[in-house]
Amino acid sequence: MAKTKTTFFCQNCGSQYSKWQGQCTACKEWNTIAEEIIQKAEKISWDIAETKTNKKVVKPQKVSEISTQSESRLHTRNSELNRVLGGGLVPGSLTLLGGEPGIGKSTLMLQVALQLPFKTLYVSGEESAQQIKMRAERIHPNSDHCYILTETKTQNIFRNIAEMQPDIVVIDSIQTLQTDFIESSPGSISQIRECTTELIKFAKETATPVILIGHITKDGNIAGPKILEHMVDTVLQFEGDRNHVYRILRANKNRFGSTNELGIYEMQGNGLREVSNPSEILISKNEEDLSGTAISATLEGMRPLMIEIQALVSTAVYGTPQRSATGYNAKRLNMLLAVLEKRAGFKLGAKDVFLNVTGGISVDDPAIDLAVVAAVLSSNIDIAIDKRMCFAAEIGLAGEVRPVTRIDQRILEAEKLGFESIVISKYCKLPKDNYGIQLIKLGKVNDVVKHLFG
């Protein structure tokens, strides 16, 4: 056994130092450097039965000789998760799921594990088997393919894996695991890194997908070293407010698919319900005509969404006008207000403007610019916009209504949801002429004002 030595890690970013110091030179945080004990020992493979004599030797291959036959993905029977992953779990991949405490990470992964038709091992280091059973009875009580293991030591976990040979492994959570090769406490930088390395080696050598649940810090970043996110194949973020029922699943990193896809769930007593039509939660069900609201056709990845934009314009009480935006870029809001004042003659410089994207999602699609302008103008003159009308266009600094990408998908989504008209740029190039919805083509902000309010 090699000599044990100590080293110092920043608990915020994972940078390593030979001695203690007050400030981390990498992330500039103070008092985050802590001493940890590392055991420099020869790493043993995840497979306990493997010996040095029968270890497989990997040889270089020509690019032309490498097989391009793609392995079929494992469908999780959860359409929202499949969409975000890019079609399902890739064999041998490592997926990291992070989110706020109590947001539903464990519920989502247990629900997926219970519904999978494959042999699944759910490893929990945070709850007892009885606690998991109580939750499983609410979600999906009859499952013959899910096995529960309450263990934190990786050597014992791999011993059970070697015996049962599962098709999918779920770890809840990576911060609770520890390995015998590192003598620091669970959750430390070195433990998280070493345990993840062992799981990566297991996943790649056996082509078994592994899903890790990770804690996050108060800043919203996944706890542990930043290298953890570099090591895994996919990083998923589970977002939402614990006081509301809706949850949003995003991919911050995905080696096997797009990072623009979005999954939406509704938290219920028997688990998470998949929301196949997000417009049902993103558009208010109001019978009355209310000023300051406009519907926009936006895109999240390949999925078209209809979202509601709410605006409130009022006289500034405290002298300095306030500009506040929830779910939308505040700087872009200021730009649109300047365009309205310069190009359309609306005096908004002395008024408070508040903007909100309903449903608790954040949108950075420039196609909602026109809906933002319409909502602000509607609130300013207190005239409601027709609820059967929606918008999809970008606003330029010259006050022009600019075309947006994939306008055909936006029009078809608005038509499917029963809207009677959609306002777009007159410069849009449409693949066909006939739609079941009226197309209102405008070129400037002044034309928008005249069409909406006369």
Side-chain angles (χ1 to χ4, degrees):
M1 183 68 69
K3 182 180 178 182
T4 301
K5 76 169 188 175
T6 61
T7 189
F8 297 84
F9 288 100
C10 173
Q11 303 300 309
N12 184 56
C13 68
S15 300
Q16 183 175 354
Y17 298 92
S18 59
K19 62 180 181 179
W20 184 88
Q21 59 189 53
Q23 184 187 31
C24 174
T25 56
C27 65
K28 307 302 180 184
E29 292 290 329
W30 288 89
N31 298 322
T32 58
I33 298 176
E35 183 179 15
E36 295 182 10
I37 301 174
I38 315 181
Q39 182 65 52
K40 293 291 185 181
E42 183 183 358
K43 299 297 184 297
I44 302 174
S45 171
W46 68 269
D47 190 350
I48 301 166
E50 186 180 33
T51 62
K52 295 181 180 179
T53 56
N54 62 6
K55 181 175 283 190
K56 183 180 178 181
V57 179
V58 181
K59 295 182 179 180
Q61 292 178 276
K62 292 182 181 178
V63 175
S64 57
E65 295 175 352
I66 298 175
S67 174
T68 57
Q69 182 179 2
S70 59
E71 297 186 63
S72 60
R73 292 177 182 249
L74 301 178
H75 292 277
T76 62
R77 289 191 175 179
N78 189 301
S79 59
E80 297 297 299
L81 180 60
N82 283 341
R83 176 185 289 107
V84 176
L85 290 173
L89 288 168
V90 175
S93 65
L94 211 72
T95 303
L96 177 63
L97 173 66
E100 292 278 350
I103 205 71
K105 304 183 297 297
S106 300
T107 301
L108 175 62
M109 286 298 102
L110 181 60
Q111 184 170 323
V112 170
L114 292 170
Q115 294 175 348
L116 282 171
F118 316 106
K119 185 187 291 186
T120 307
L121 179 62
Y122 186 94
V123 182
S124 176
E126 299 181 344
E127 296 177 285
S128 65
Q130 290 75 18
Q131 290 174 316
I132 299 174
K133 172 64 176 176
M134 291 171 61
R135 187 188 300 169
E137 287 179 344
R138 298 198 310 269
I139 299 174
H140 193 274
N142 300 319
S143 176
D144 297 327
H145 301 285
C146 183
Y147 296 81
I148 305 297
L149 174 64
T150 55
E151 182 60 67
T152 58
K153 187 176 291 188
T154 57
Q155 282 69 31
N156 296 338
I157 293 172
F158 289 135
R159 189 175 292 110
N160 283 278
I161 287 174
E163 291 177 2
M164 67 172 290
Q165 296 183 350
D167 298 313
I168 296 176
V169 177
V170 180
I171 305 292
D172 182 14
S173 63
I174 185 61
Q175 279 80 12
T176 61
L177 296 191
Q178 60 177 334
T179 176
D180 288 338
F181 303 124
I182 302 294
E183 294 187 359
S184 57
S185 59
S188 62
I189 298 291
S190 51
Q191 280 285 5
I192 293 174
R193 184 168 51 206
E194 184 63 29
C195 292
T196 305
T197 302
E198 292 181 10
L199 289 166
I200 287 176
K201 186 174 184 183
F202 156 72
K204 302 305 180 187
E205 290 183 1
T206 63
T208 303
V210 177
I211 302 175
L212 308 177
I213 296 177
H215 299 167
I216 66 170
T217 63
K218 62 182 180 181
D219 299 325
N221 301 318
I222 295 177
K226 195 68 177 177
I227 193 175
L228 178 63
E229 297 178 46
H230 291 287
M231 294 164 69
V232 300
D233 299 307
T234 307
V235 179
L236 304 180
Q237 192 76 18
F238 208 33
E239 305 171 354
D241 190 339
R242 285 179 292 174
N243 299 320
H244 294 82
V245 295
Y246 296 110
R247 306 285 189 267
I248 296 173
L249 184 67
R250 298 178 186 271
N252 294 340
K253 169 189 175 182
N254 192 353
R255 287 175 178 162
F256 312 110
S258 171
T259 58
N260 296 322
E261 297 296 342
L262 189 76
I264 301 180
Y265 296 89
E266 180 184 3
M267 178 64 80
Q268 298 180 338
N270 58 350
L272 290 157
R273 180 183 75 89
E274 302 170 46
V275 180
S276 57
N277 180 18
S279 301
E280 71 182 60
I281 67 170
L282 299 176
I283 299 179
S284 302
K285 305 295 188 294
N286 292 325
E287 298 297 332
E288 303 176 4
D289 290 333
L290 303 175
S291 64
T293 63
I295 309 299
S296 177
T298 184
L299 289 172
E300 282 286 347
M302 298 300 293
R303 166 187 269 184
L305 302 175
M306 305 301 292
I307 61 172
E308 181 177 332
I309 308 295
Q310 296 179 335
L312 177 62
V313 180
S314 61
T315 304
V317 179
Y318 302 106
T320 304
Q322 299 183 63
R323 301 284 188 263
S324 176
T326 303
Y328 187 70
N329 191 329
K331 292 183 178 180
R332 193 164 187 87
L333 173 62
N334 291 332
M335 183 200 78
L336 294 177
L337 295 177
V339 170
L340 286 177
E341 188 153 345
K342 177 75 173 179
R343 306 296 180 185
F346 283 86
K347 303 301 180 184
L348 301 172
K351 294 187 177 181
D352 294 335
V353 180
F354 303 94
L355 192 76
N356 177 46
V357 179
T358 60
I361 70 170
S362 297
V363 183
D364 55 4
D365 185 2
I368 71 171
D369 285 356
L370 188 55
V372 170
V373 167
V376 169
L377 295 177
S378 171
S379 178
N380 184 50
I381 60 180
D382 202 19
I383 297 178
I385 298 173
D386 188 353
K387 294 186 297 184
R388 297 164 296 180
M389 178 187 295
C390 60
F391 303 84
E394 181 183 354
I395 300 296
L397 290 178
E400 76 275 22
V401 181
R402 299 172 56 85
V404 292
T405 58
R406 289 155 59 190
I407 189 65
D408 184 55
Q409 284 183 263
R410 303 173 197 265
I411 295 173
L412 293 175
E413 179 70 8
E415 179 182 333
K416 184 179 74 174
L417 293 177
F419 287 90
E420 295 182 359
S421 60
I422 181 171
V423 182
I424 61 175
S425 171
K426 69 177 183 181
Y427 306 108
C428 285
K429 297 180 180 178
L430 300 174
K432 63 179 183 177
D433 298 327
N434 298 323
Y435 290 93
I437 184 174
Q438 180 187 3
L439 303 182
I440 303 171
K441 300 180 180 181
L442 303 175
K444 287 192 172 293
V445 172
N446 289 330
D447 300 334
V448 177
V449 177
K450 291 178 183 177
H451 178 79
L452 294 177
F453 311 110

